């Protein structure tokens, strides 16, 4: 019993040792974005079960009947834990246990339904809002799905649409298998950062998640249901209204005791224990060291739990491979990414260096986020935590619309001057979660300025595009709704996070790269960072234009070679 309970303390795609042995509870990705076809709603997606091969019969992957899946939402700083929790539990039946097929003669084995419960009092009580939701079967093949007599005699899109439920409280809900929308050169990433940029003809990048499926839990929720005071979009003061910020994370939990009986039966007992969690993408995969990964999965982002991991953000390991005085020369695939060592001739942001700490307590910081009266204690903690000023808030607090966190537009080479607002998703809970300002309008997916680089591209437009850089007034810039202000399905989070580690956010707010001059802040080094990509830059198949937006799952029977390679 002790072994079983310890083994459960273990997100993303097999990112921690213990959870890699429990795929049904492995939370792979979380997304939160303004619904592109409905400005009054937010879509939240939590994906589970990595690397589902569509051919994986006869026992296809499915939600675990003994796993508690939860989506957590924070919209207040005055409460200790969740402000809204959605809990999903699943159960399956066999309609025809006499066959080894998953689907035969119109009957389905492992036919799965779910119950969705909602709490608005910190998990003290739950109300059922979907009593018997339907999970579509795996997309096995044409005979099983569309086949007359032997199959279900319908097309798969109809099955997906028919599985969208409307909760008694008004949310749209979908649970089921889908194409994994994440894209990344996994082989390159974990070969010590040996990324292969898109366009590389000698060693082309490969999307390690190409043609794999996941199981998704998707919610489409009215903004008024998520906003802390019940306000709708029409009541927002402006497109960066701080009252419209939410934090989102997801988890999976199992009971502490698993018992195996000689007859092949399995029993579960005891309290539920969190075994997987995910908020910001790639935190546990690429920031938390291997010796702490299982612990990270076992705690919530509340009550100061995540402060024990803060040092991995203020001095990130990846930065060592972007620093020629450390290991930069050994990882040529990251040559385009170099961190400021003498920004504005003064400030060194390499690991262990002072960063902006030399300004701590200076009267020049008065009225800024860096002053001691504001957040200087967190953002400038000591003289050896340089990235507490940019990476830590991105992951742990969100970024406020305060000096210096405004675009360099209008600053005249003074980062401490007022600039152009472009983000405010500040929710200072000091815990890892995906933060989204719901007041920011969605960028139409057919907008010629839509970009998978999300907020990085919004910053580029705000600094360089005459449509936006002639004023320091707040105005909508395309991709202000992109990662790390929430996360859209299209966002290339791997490239964005690598650019962030290399100091692109510092450059955006006026702490330019070493080769910049007052007359040429958009320097060759900045352009090198902005044109870097980590490999695949989009998903392997087209996303849907309507909820749940993720693509239908790959079909096991079909195997287009171009999809794999």
């Amino acid at each position: 019993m002790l072994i079983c309970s310890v083994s459960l303390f273990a997100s993303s795609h097999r990112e921690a040792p213990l959870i890699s042995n429990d795929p049904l509870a492995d939370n792979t990705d979380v997304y939160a974005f303004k619904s592109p076809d409905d400005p009054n709603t937010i879509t939240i997606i939590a994906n589970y079960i990595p690397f589902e091969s569509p051919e994986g019969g006869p026992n296809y992957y499915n939600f675990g009947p003994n796993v508690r899946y939860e989506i957590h939402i924070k919209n207040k700083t005055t409460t200790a834990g969740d402000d809204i929790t959605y809990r999903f539990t699943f159960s399956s039946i066999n309609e025809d246990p006499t066959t080894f097929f998953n689907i035969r003669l119109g009957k389905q084995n492992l036919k799965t339904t779910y119950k969705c419960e909602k709490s608005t009092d910190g998990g003290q009580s739950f109300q059922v809002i979907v009593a018997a939701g339907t999970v579509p079967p795996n997309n096995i093949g044409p005979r099983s799905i569309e086949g007359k007599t032997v199959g279900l005699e319908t097309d798969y899109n109809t099955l997906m649409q028919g599985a969208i439920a409307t909760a008694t409280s008004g949310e749209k809900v979908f649970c089921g298998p889908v194409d994994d929308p994440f894209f990344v050169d996994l082989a390159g990433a974990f070969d010590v950062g040996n990324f292969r940029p898109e366009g590389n003809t000698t060693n082309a990048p490969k999307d390690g998640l190409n043609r794999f499926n996941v199981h998704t839990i998707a919610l489409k929720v009215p903004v008024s249901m998520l906003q802390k005071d019940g306000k709708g979009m029409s009541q927002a003061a402006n497109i960066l209204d701080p009252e419209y910020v939410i934090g989102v994370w997801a988890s999976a939990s199992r009971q502490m005791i698993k018992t195996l009986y000689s007859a092949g039966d399995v029993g579960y007992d005891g309290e539920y224990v969190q075994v997987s969690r995910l908020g910001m993408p790639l935190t546990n995969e690429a920031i938390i060291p291997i010796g702490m990964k299982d612990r990270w999965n076992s705690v919530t982002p509340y009550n100061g739990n995540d402060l024990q991991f803060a040092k991995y953000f203020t001095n990130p390991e990846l930065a060592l491979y972007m620093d020629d005085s450390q290991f930069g020369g050994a990882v040529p695939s990251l040559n385009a990414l170099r961190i400021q060592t003498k920004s504005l001739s003064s400030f060194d942001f390499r690991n262990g260096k002072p960063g902006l700490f030399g300004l701590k307590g200076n009267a020049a910081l008065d009225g800024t986020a860096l002053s001691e009266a504001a957040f200087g204690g967190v953002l400038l903690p000591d003289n050896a935590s340089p990235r507490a000023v940019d990476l830590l808030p991105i992951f742990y607090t969100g970024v406020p619309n305060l000096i210096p966190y405004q675009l360099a537009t209008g600053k005249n080479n003074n980062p401490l001057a007022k600039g152009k607002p472009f983000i405010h998703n500040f929710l200072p809970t000091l815990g890892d979660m995906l933060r989204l300002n719901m007041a920011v309008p969605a960028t139409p997916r057919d907008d010629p300025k839509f970009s998978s680089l999300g907020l990085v591209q919004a910053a580029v437009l705000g600094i360089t595009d005459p449509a936006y850089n002639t004023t320091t007034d707040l105005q909508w810039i395309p991709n202000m709704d992109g990662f790390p202000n929430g996360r859209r399905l299209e966002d290339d989070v791997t490239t964005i996070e690598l650019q962030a580690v290399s100091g692109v956010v510092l450059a955006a707010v006026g702490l330019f790269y070493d080769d910049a001059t007052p007359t040429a802040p958009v320097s060759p080094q900045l352009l090198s960072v902005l044109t870097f990509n980590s490999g695949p830059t989009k998903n392997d198949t087209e996303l849907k234009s309507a909820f749940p937006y993720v693509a239908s799952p790959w079909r096991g029977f079909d195997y287009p070679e171009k999809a794999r390679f």
Side-chain angles (χ1 to χ4, degrees), residues 394-530:
I394 289 173
F395 283 80
Y396 272 25
T397 67
V399 182
N401 178 23
L402 293 173
I403 298 171
Y405 301 110
Q406 296 167 335
L407 293 180
T409 299
K411 289 187 174 183
N412 296 319
N413 297 302
N414 176 14
L416 297 180
K418 181 182 183 298
K420 187 175 186 64
F422 78 118
I423 185 174
H424 189 129
N425 62 353
F426 189 59
L427 191 70
T429 59
L430 294 177
D432 184 287
M433 57 184 72
L434 193 61
R435 289 170 170 83
L436 170 67
N437 190 318
M438 302 184 293
V440 179
T443 305
R445 299 318 191 247
D446 59 355
D447 189 315
K449 293 180 179 179
F450 182 89
S451 172
S452 63
L453 290 182
L455 208 59
V456 170
Q457 183 63 13
V460 171
L461 293 173
I463 292 173
T464 65
D465 192 321
Y468 314 106
N469 71 356
T470 59
T471 174
T472 58
D473 293 338
L474 172 62
Q475 67 179 133
W476 180 75
I477 305 172
N479 304 295
M480 285 172 66
D481 59 316
F483 182 77
N485 180 32
R487 179 186 178 186
R488 304 171 297 188
L489 292 164
E490 298 88 350
D491 286 337
D492 183 0
V493 296
T494 307
T495 295
I496 294 170
E497 289 195 359
L498 286 169
Q499 291 173 327
V501 171
S502 74
V504 74
V505 176
L506 297 169
V509 301
L511 289 158
F512 295 112
Y513 284 99
D514 299 354
D515 60 338
T517 65
T519 58
V522 183
S523 65
Q525 190 172 347
L526 175 56
L527 290 173
S528 183
V529 172
L530 292 174

Side-chain angles (χ1 to χ4, degrees), residues 530-542:
L530 292 174
T531 54
F532 168 85
N533 69 76
S534 60
T537 57
K538 63 180 181 179
N539 190 33
D540 52 10
T541 189
E542 293 297 320

